[in-house]
């Protein structure tokens, strides 16, 4: 597939796996919108990638409807379309089930699942109009729940099920 000029939105795009994905798209000629939680991380990632391609830096908490709606408006205003959404934001955790509190489950599910759903639903009309693509970053933990990973497998099982529904 030709990526030159494609418009790619990446949550968690300012660090880790999300940044690696952003860099790969940039090297293929795509324009990237980086959604990250921390201003300094978004700025650093932007400085590196803007030497390769057009970058739209967005600082946002994707657990917030307001922030996600603002990001969508900024992307559509700047680019007019979205070709790819990569949901790379998320985190893991370690610990036994008996040591994982309901609050820890809720926090992890809110970021790894609910925020992913929120972002996907916000950009879905634009992706459908462009016949675009959604990439949800999952985990082997969605296939088999290893010991000592607390709520993480439950969150990735949910991501796999949501992705199948899409």
């Amino acid at each position: 597939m030709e990526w030159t000029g494609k418009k790619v939105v990446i949550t968690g795009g300012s660090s880790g796996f999300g940044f690696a994905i952003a860099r790969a798209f940039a090297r293929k000629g795509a324009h990237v919108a980086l959604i990250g939680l921390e201003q300094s991380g978004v700025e650093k990632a932007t400085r590196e990638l803007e030497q390769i391609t057009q970058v739209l830096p967005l600082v946002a908490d994707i657990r917030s409807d307001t922030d996600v709606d603002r990001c969508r408006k900024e992307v559509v205003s700047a680019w007019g379309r979205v070709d790819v959404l990569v949901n790379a934001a998320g985190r893991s955790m370690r610990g036994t089930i008996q040591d994982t509190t309901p609050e820890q489950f809720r926090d992890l599910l809110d970021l790894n699942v609910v925020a992913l759903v929120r972002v996907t639903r916000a950009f879905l009309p634009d992706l459908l109009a462009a016949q675009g693509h959604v990439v949800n970053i999952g985990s082997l933990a969605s296939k088999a729940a290893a010991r000592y990973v607390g709520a993480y497998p439950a969150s990735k099982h949910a991501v796999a099920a949501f992705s199948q529904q899409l």
Side-chain angles (χ1 to χ4, degrees):
M1 175 175 241
E2 175 63 39
W3 294 107
T4 302
K6 296 289 185 183
K7 313 304 185 193
V8 181
V9 176
I10 305 167
T11 67
S14 62
S15 64
F17 197 48
F19 180 70
I21 292 167
R23 186 174 38 230
F25 272 113
R27 287 179 176 158
K28 293 291 187 179
H31 300 168
V32 294
L34 303 175
I35 301 177
L37 185 59
E38 297 178 5
Q39 180 82 34
S40 61
V42 172
E43 289 173 357
K44 181 181 177 195
T46 298
R47 281 191 302 274
E48 181 175 333
L49 293 180
E50 68 188 355
Q51 295 179 35
I52 304 170
T53 193
Q54 184 182 91
V55 180
L56 181 58
L58 300 163
V59 177
D61 183 345
I62 60 170
R63 295 170 295 184
S64 160
D65 286 331
T66 303
D67 280 12
V68 170
D69 290 343
R70 175 183 48 80
C71 287
R72 183 196 168 267
K73 287 176 186 170
E74 288 186 38
V75 168
V76 171
S77 175
W79 292 343
R81 74 175 203 273
V82 177
D83 298 300
V84 179
L85 168 64
V86 178
N87 285 305
R91 66 179 177 84
S92 65
M93 69 180 314
R94 300 288 179 256
T96 64
I97 287 296
Q98 64 265 31
D99 293 331
T100 305
T101 67
E103 292 75 24
Q104 289 171 313
F105 260 89
R106 182 178 44 238
D107 290 345
L108 194 69
L109 290 169
D110 191 32
L111 177 60
N112 288 2
V113 181
V114 178
L116 178 144
V117 171
R118 177 179 290 111
V119 173
T120 302
R121 286 181 47 81
F123 284 97
L124 198 55
D126 308 299
L127 291 161
L128 290 170
Q131 295 184 332
H133 305 276
V134 177
V135 177
N136 292 329
I137 302 302
S139 170
L140 288 176
S142 70
K143 304 287 184 194
R147 290 177 160 187
Y148 310 118
V149 288
Y152 184 70
S155 73
K156 291 304 180 173
H157 277 279
V159 168
F162 177 73
S163 299
Q164 290 172 10
Q165 290 293 308
L166 283 174

